[in-house]
Amino acid sequence: SYELTQPLSVSVALGQTARITCGGNNIGSTNVHWYQQKPGQAPVLVIYRDTNRPSGIPERFSGSNSGNTATLTISRAQAGDEADYYCQVWDSITVLFGGGTKLTVL
Amino acid sequence: QVQLVQSGAEVKKPGASVKVSCKASGYTFTSYGITWVRQAPGQGLEWMGWISAYNGNTNYAQKLQGRVTMTTDTSTSTAYMELRSLRSDDTAVYYCAKRGSAGFYFDYWGQGTLVTVSS
């Protein structure tokens, strides 16, 4: 079965750029979506269809997807960006989530 | 504005059933599917299945086949998820979410419902 692989944790210095990856076999051929989840809260969609930002999501959040890796990039990281981030794909039959990445802003 | 409001926390004994509701507002309910996702304590997101609010078609995660039923009531714009034969590892926060308009992603989520299974 198809699997999505994310690093367990990523750290970034305040104001720097964080990159969170989502690996999968030929993931570049499908649409990838990203969610942010803060403790005790429901997930929030931050990127859909690889590169699109929903209204209200800062331009600092961007996405890319090619080959075997999709990437969520957070520029000028802020303390409020500390959260768990999940990638998600639709596998024609089922929805798959990555295992999640905890982003720490130092 | 779009809102999904879920029913309150539940405590159930092993072997029992639970039914969680998700009342939608702010959009045409029958135009978008509803998916259900759960999250065990300290764990990641697990997709449970989805239901078309248009025609009631469902697609369940293989792991839950036979124990889960998703339904909708279009007269009240409410989706329901029933899970039977509860086990301790079903203890989780259960979320409903609305499918987005341009693909299979989820643009609005309910606040979550904690279901605790304990003897």
Side-chain angles (χ1 to χ4, degrees):
Chain A
S1 63
Y2 197 78
E3 290 187 2
L4 299 175
T5 302
Q6 296 184 237
L8 283 176
S9 63
V10 168
S11 298
V12 62
L14 189 67
Q16 298 303 303
T17 298
R19 293 178 179 85
I20 298 171
T21 58
C22 178
N25 186 31
N26 199 26
I27 197 173
S29 66
T30 191
N31 290 320
V32 178
H33 321 292
W34 291 91
Y35 302 88
Q36 175 193 71
Q37 186 182 33
K38 296 181 179 179
Q41 298 183 19
V44 172
L45 179 70
V46 294
I47 293 289
Y48 66 97
R49 297 183 68 187
D50 297 340
T51 61
N52 297 276
R53 275 178 295 103
S55 60
I57 300 301
E59 290 183 10
R60 301 185 298 103
F61 288 80
S62 62
S64 63
N65 185 16
S66 179
N68 294 319
T69 305
T71 303
L72 172 68
T73 300
I74 306 171
S75 304
R76 302 182 300 282
Q78 301 177 0
D81 298 333
E82 267 205 1
D84 294 326
Y85 291 84
Y86 296 90
C87 58
Q88 176 248 311
V89 302
W90 164 246
D91 188 22
S92 75
I93 300 175
T94 63
V95 169
L96 298 173
F97 287 100
T101 297
K102 181 176 180 59
L103 177 68
T104 300
V105 180
L106 304 172
Chain B
Q1 73 283 20
V2 173
Q3 278 193 309
L4 299 174
V5 179
Q6 298 182 221
S7 49
E10 304 260 15
V11 179
K12 296 292 184 181
K13 294 191 181 305
S17 298
V18 69
K19 191 170 186 176
V20 179
S21 67
C22 170
K23 183 170 177 58
S25 61
Y27 72 98
T28 302
F29 181 68
T30 52
S31 294
Y32 302 97
I34 293 286
T35 204
W36 289 87
V37 174
R38 70 180 181 178
Q39 186 171 37
Q43 302 301 308
L45 303 176
E46 179 187 10
W47 180 72
M48 301 179 67
W50 73 276
I51 180 167
S52 165
Y54 174 70
N55 58 18
N57 286 350
T58 55
N59 184 17
Y60 302 137
Q62 190 172 10
K63 174 183 177 180
L64 296 173
Q65 288 273 2
R67 287 206 301 139
V68 68
T69 300
M70 296 175 187
T71 57
T72 60
D73 181 346
T74 56
S75 69
T76 60
S77 299
T78 303
Y80 298 91
M81 185 284 300
E82 181 180 33
L83 189 60
R84 300 175 294 278
S85 302
L86 289 169
R87 309 186 289 245
S88 58
D89 62 356
D90 291 318
T91 293
V93 176
Y94 289 74
Y95 295 102
C96 62
K98 168 190 165 291
R99 178 180 169 175
S101 60
F104 226 105
Y105 56 90
F106 312 111
D107 54 1
Y108 291 92
W109 293 64
Q111 82 275 21
T113 297
L114 175 62
V115 175
T116 303
V117 183
S118 173
S119 54

